[in-house]
Amino acid sequence: LAKTTQPISMDSYEGQEVNITCSHNNIATNDYITWYQQFPSQGPRFIIQGYKTKVTNEVASLFIPADRKSSTLSLPRVSLSDTAVYYCLPGRDTGRRALTFGSGTRLQVQP
Amino acid sequence: SAVISQKPSRDICQRGTSLTIQCQVDSQVTMMFWYRQQPGQSLTLIATANQGSEATYESGFVIDKFPISRPNLTFSTLTVSNMSPEDSSIYLCSVGDNEQFFGPGTRLTVL
């Protein structure tokens, strides 16, 4: 399993764009990169998944460089409700396999 | 998507007792997992709950301490046996398909 490194915490203000970068230097060729979000007192929920280049959905964008040794989750114009812990998880078939969570990044959005 | 409920949502227990946590899914799923999240920490996989056979436990978790049942494709239980204060955690179940869905968690406090 690819080991991940993320900032432990980040602070932002409402309306700003937040970029969270995750390093996964030994990612396997077949691994996708999946990001999960966990609000306080809730279970994690899937945000976005990608293999390379850029993926965008209604919640976030995911940027993956050509060497795939890192990925950046981009949250446009954050609000207070985006305060959560964000986890990046490289792996295959992450829907059907047990997940290995790293320490994640605790994002605090302030007014 | 899958909707997952857990019972109880929280409990306070005395050391030496046992607590059984239920996980109910609104659809049939093949893969079901149990995780533990200690205060301020990330999620750690306890076991994979297999329907019709014994659960598969991760290193550091044993069946005598965390017996798991999976009688059908929509339901599973995790029992935390002979509890000690170190077992105080949030226990989450998840189910896997194209992505993993997590239950809301059971917050356990052992006195």
Side-chain angles (χ1 to χ4, degrees), chain A residues 45-67:
Chain A
R45 70 164 190 158
F46 172 95
I47 305 177
I48 197 167
Q49 183 183 73
Y51 184 80
K52 61 181 179 181
T53 62
K54 176 183 175 181
V55 179
T56 297
N57 62 21
E58 65 278 4
V59 177
S61 293
L62 179 59
F63 299 92
I64 306 168
D67 66 6

Side-chain angles (χ1 to χ4, degrees), chain A residues 67-81:
Chain A
D67 66 6
R68 302 193 340 112
K69 293 185 177 181
S70 67
S71 59
T72 298
L73 176 73
S74 181
L75 304 172
R77 299 181 58 79
V78 295
S79 64
L80 296 176
S81 62

Side-chain angles (χ1 to χ4, degrees), chain A residues 36 38 40-46 49 87 93-104 106, chain B residues 31 33 35 37 40-43 45 48 90 92 95-105 107:
Chain A
Y36 278 78
Q38 185 177 24
S41 301
Q42 295 186 28
R45 70 164 190 158
F46 172 95
Q49 183 183 73
Y87 298 96
D93 297 328
T94 51
R96 296 179 177 84
R97 295 172 183 251
L99 300 178
T100 300
F101 286 84
S103 57
R106 187 174 300 274
Chain B
M31 306 305 297
F33 309 98
Y35 294 82
Q37 187 169 29
Q41 303 296 313
S42 184
L43 286 79
L45 178 69
T48 300
I90 299 173
L92 302 105
V95 299
D97 195 345
N98 292 325
E99 60 183 81
Q100 279 203 25
F101 300 94
F102 286 80
R107 183 180 296 271

Side-chain angles (χ1 to χ4, degrees), chain B:
Chain B
S1 65
V3 177
I4 305 168
S5 60
Q6 287 186 231
K7 290 182 181 179
S9 59
R10 59 177 60 223
D11 207 342
I12 300 173
C13 301
Q14 297 296 319
R15 68 172 66 208
T17 63
S18 298
L19 176 71
T20 295
I21 302 168
Q22 299 179 4
C23 177
Q24 179 75 54
V25 189
D26 68 341
S27 58
Q28 292 188 341
V29 291
T30 303
M31 306 305 297
M32 185 177 283
F33 309 98
W34 285 97
Y35 294 82
R36 180 175 75 182
Q37 187 169 29
Q38 296 180 303
Q41 303 296 313
S42 184
L43 286 79
T44 300
L45 178 69
I46 298 173
T48 300
N50 302 309
Q51 195 268 328
S53 64
E54 202 168 273
T56 305
Y57 290 84
E58 295 300 298
S59 175
F61 298 95
V62 295
I63 188 171
D64 290 346
K65 175 68 176 178
F66 297 100
I68 289 171
S69 78
R70 180 91 191 270
N72 55 53
L73 293 176
T74 64
F75 186 79
S76 177
T77 67
L78 168 74
T79 298
V80 186
S81 304
N82 188 24
M83 289 184 285
S84 68
E86 292 72 35
D87 295 319
S88 296
S89 288
I90 299 173
Y91 293 84
L92 302 105
C93 68
S94 76
V95 299
D97 195 345
N98 292 325
E99 60 183 81
Q100 279 203 25
F101 300 94
F102 286 80
T106 295
R107 183 180 296 271
L108 170 63
T109 302
V110 184
L111 302 177

